[in-house]
Amino acid sequence: QVQLAESGGGSVQAGGSLRLTCVASGYTDSPYCMGWFRQAPEKEREWAARIFTGNTPYYDPSVKGRFVISEENDKNTVYLQMNSLKPEDTAMYYCVIGKYCYSSSDMFTHWGQGTQVTVSS
């Protein structure tokens, strides 16, 4: 059984930083794609950042230059360092893992429970 354990969300003021961590257990495919979707109230779910094993990460244009995604493949762990946070980054952040970096969230079957990030102005 695949499980994703997320941690690191919270509340910060604009300009602050947070680091999200996601640890996957029970996942055996390799290579794989791992990353973070986010969903703000009344908005569509969107990719924040993702990385396919050993490849160049993808960032949503709204977070590029502020967020950094990194991985430890031997630990099935991915991190999202979020700097210079803005109120518009406020969302529930969900970790996913899958065989490919699908553009649609519907293609992912393994999800974390979500961690809330709230940025106040």
Side-chain angles (χ1 to χ4, degrees):
Q1 183 181 359
V2 178
Q3 291 186 322
L4 298 174
E6 301 153 334
S7 60
S11 297
V12 295
Q13 290 194 324
S17 297
L18 286 172
R19 189 192 197 207
L20 306 183
T21 300
C22 178
V23 181
S25 58
Y27 192 81
T28 58
D29 281 343
S30 182
Y32 56 82
C33 180
M34 207 166 172
W36 301 87
F37 279 98
R38 66 182 184 178
Q39 187 165 21
E42 301 181 358
K43 290 193 175 181
E44 295 288 322
R45 191 174 292 171
E46 63 179 9
W47 274 113
R50 64 182 185 250
I51 186 165
F52 188 79
T53 307
N55 280 257
T56 302
Y58 164 85
Y59 298 97
D60 183 85
S62 67
V63 309
K64 200 167 186 179
R66 301 186 296 120
F67 290 12
V68 177
I69 189 169
S70 58
E71 60 181 349
E72 287 189 86
N73 296 123
D74 58 337
K75 298 180 181 178
N76 277 13
T77 298
V78 68
Y79 307 96
L80 186 66
Q81 178 66 42
M82 304 185 295
N83 301 319
S84 302
L85 282 160
K86 302 176 180 180
E88 50 263 45
D89 294 317
T90 295
M92 185 72 80
Y93 285 70
Y94 297 92
C95 179
V96 295
I97 190 168
K99 193 170 183 179
Y100 302 106
C101 282
Y102 307 104
S103 57
S104 170
S105 62
D106 293 341
M107 297 298 290
F108 287 90
T109 56
H110 305 301
W111 290 76
Q113 77 282 2
T115 186
Q116 179 67 38
V117 171
T118 302
V119 185
S120 58
S121 56

